[in-house]
Amino acid sequence: MKPLFHPDTADIQLSSVLYALSDPVRLTIVHKLRQNGERACGDIELPIAKSTVSHHSRTLREAGVIRTRTHGTHRLLSLREEDLEARFPGLLNAILASYEETDEL
Amino acid sequence: MKPLFHPDTADIQLSSVLYALSDPVRLTIVHKLRQNGERACGDIELPIAKSTVSHHSRTLREAGVIRTRTHGTHRLLSLREEDLEARFPGLLNAILASYEETDEL
DNA sequence: TCTATTGTTCGATAATCATAGAACATTAAA
DNA sequence: TTTAATGTTCTATGATTATCGAACAATAGA
């Protein structure tokens, strides 16, 4: 099993985080993860191909926004809330609060 | 003089704002505008061609992040702080605070 | 051991983007 | 009316991206 790359908290780049969250699909993923907690890829209902979901998960993971762990044949995704809060206090909250106020849901 | 498009406050999209701010050059522009107030394009020192600055200014303007007005041969750029605060409370502050804590300066 | 499930990776494609230089438009100044 | 200054727009280019389907890998279960 190939180990998945996750940046250290200190190495998380602001521009990468903002870029990762600038895509509506990825924003939706992050929103659902915060709402429901850790979830398998397939449990996040999205109207796109699974290979595309995988691509977006990777973008979020490599930016440091989510963590991915393996459990059986599943990949469980979770938000790196504490890490993001430590690195960029208030940022994730402001973004998700904005998302929830919006008609982009 | 061609009127420049600026989205209405209500039409500002979160994903567009995040995308606009996900580029280090554009983040720098926005940071300097908040620090120094309204500025002409040329007064913002950047190691890129002026046509590129113009491109980035347009991206920020069309996303609703900055306002551009004409004054003589100059184009004066300013942050749409109140509009952004009204649309996405706390967002700009969280992003710029994160930027200032970072070594991306 | 076979089969089904879950998700990643590969290959391809169409679209978008950051960048720069050249040409152009507008205005101020000489 | 020239000339200089300030930016925008046009054109081109190389890079990145979002998307999909097909092939692959890993694991659980029968």
Side-chain angles (χ1 to χ4, degrees):
Chain A
M1 174 54 64
K2 209 178 300 177
L4 299 170
F5 171 76
H6 292 83
D8 291 342
T9 300
D11 293 335
I12 297 177
Q13 294 296 307
L14 176 62
S15 48
S16 303
V17 171
L18 296 180
Y19 179 76
L21 296 179
S22 72
D23 182 276
V25 172
R26 291 193 292 262
L27 256 181
T28 300
I29 292 173
V30 168
H31 166 71
K32 292 191 175 187
L33 286 179
R34 190 168 75 158
Q35 209 166 48
N36 307 320
E38 193 178 49
R39 274 285 176 282
C41 291
D43 291 354
I44 306 171
E45 290 173 26
L46 293 167
I48 54 178
K50 62 179 183 170
S51 58
T52 306
V53 177
S54 191
H55 160 71
H56 285 305
S57 301
R58 178 178 168 153
T59 301
L60 288 166
R61 174 173 50 79
E62 293 183 342
V65 177
I66 68 173
R67 195 179 302 280
T68 302
R69 70 186 181 93
T70 298
H71 183 257
T73 64
H74 295 256
R75 292 291 175 91
L76 296 176
L77 312 182
S78 57
L79 252 184
R80 290 181 66 178
E81 293 199 64
E82 295 81 0
D83 292 343
L84 287 170
E85 186 62 23
R87 180 88 171 105
F88 303 122
L91 182 65
L92 185 64
N93 242 306
I95 293 174
L96 286 180
S98 296
Y99 175 79
E100 287 154 14
E101 291 292 328
T102 289
D103 50 339
E104 291 184 42
L105 289 170
Chain B
M1 175 53 64
K2 207 178 302 178
L4 298 170
F5 170 75
H6 292 84
D8 291 342
T9 300
D11 293 335
I12 298 176
Q13 293 296 307
L14 176 61
S15 49
S16 303
V17 171
L18 295 179
Y19 180 77
L21 296 178
S22 73
D23 182 277
V25 172
R26 290 193 291 263
L27 255 181
T28 301
I29 292 174
V30 168
H31 166 71
K32 292 192 174 185
L33 286 180
R34 190 168 75 157
Q35 208 166 49
N36 307 321
E38 194 178 49
R39 274 284 177 283
C41 290
D43 291 354
I44 305 171
E45 289 173 27
L46 293 166
I48 55 179
K50 62 178 182 170
S51 58
T52 306
V53 177
S54 191
H55 160 71
H56 285 305
S57 300
R58 178 178 169 155
T59 300
L60 288 167
R61 175 172 51 78
E62 294 183 341
V65 177
I66 67 173
R67 196 179 300 281
T68 302
R69 69 185 182 93
T70 299
H71 184 256
T73 65
H74 296 255
R75 290 290 174 93
L76 297 176
L77 311 182
S78 57
L79 253 184
R80 291 180 64 177
E81 293 199 64
E82 295 83 0
D83 292 343
L84 287 170
E85 186 61 22
R87 179 89 171 105
F88 303 122
L91 182 66
L92 186 65
N93 242 306
I95 293 174
L96 286 179
S98 296
Y99 176 79
E100 286 153 16
E101 291 292 328
T102 290
D103 50 337
E104 292 182 40
L105 289 169

